[in-house]
Amino acid sequence: MTTSATLLPAVVRPASEDRCWLSSDHCAGPVLDLLDSLGWAVVDTPEANVHATSPDGHVYVGWLPEDPAAWKRDIVWRVQVLPADAAPWVQEFGIHTPSVAVAGFLAALVAHSSH
């Protein structure tokens, strides 16, 4: 059996400059902009760490670029969820995780919690 080349899916390979968002940018902008737009309480420390809490107090997000304990574990983002009716849980993201990926995770979490 032979297959015509026109029936096969095309292989798409984006140029390397189109994939820059896949690498870490080492900034908190996309996440902090999202949390600010959602009305979260955001506090930064003199050490350049940032702590944010959801309006209902059930979710904490920490950007911890200068926290020695976080660096020992190779993390820079900590998301802690304290549900009213379930066990608390934590998700941490490493120093090489793009901030847009963390923002996407948080946007999905917020969208899911509003249902």
Side-chain angles (χ1 to χ4, degrees), residues 71-87:
W71 275 97
K72 283 182 183 178
R73 296 188 345 264
D74 290 327
I75 67 152
V76 73
W77 291 102
R78 178 179 175 83
V79 178
Q80 183 174 348
V81 179
L82 304 167
D85 57 352

Side-chain angles (χ1 to χ4, degrees), residues 38 40 54-56 58-59 81 83-85 89 105-115:
L38 294 172
W40 289 39
S54 63
D56 65 5
H58 291 282
V59 183
V81 179
D85 57 352
W89 57 273
F105 172 84
L106 291 168
L109 180 66
V110 169
H112 180 72
S113 68
S114 64
H115 290 251

Side-chain angles (χ1 to χ4, degrees), residues 33-98:
D33 292 345
L34 171 67
L35 299 181
D36 185 53
S37 74
L38 294 172
W40 289 39
V42 179
V43 177
D44 58 341
T45 68
E47 297 83 22
N49 295 313
V50 178
H51 306 278
T53 307
S54 63
D56 65 5
H58 291 282
V59 183
Y60 159 84
V61 175
W63 185 55
L64 311 169
E66 300 300 328
D67 184 311
W71 275 97
K72 283 182 183 178
R73 296 188 345 264
D74 290 327
I75 67 152
V76 73
W77 291 102
R78 178 179 175 83
V79 178
Q80 183 174 348
V81 179
L82 304 167
D85 57 352
W89 57 273
V90 172
Q91 176 64 54
E92 296 176 329
F93 297 93
I95 59 174
H96 300 294
T97 304

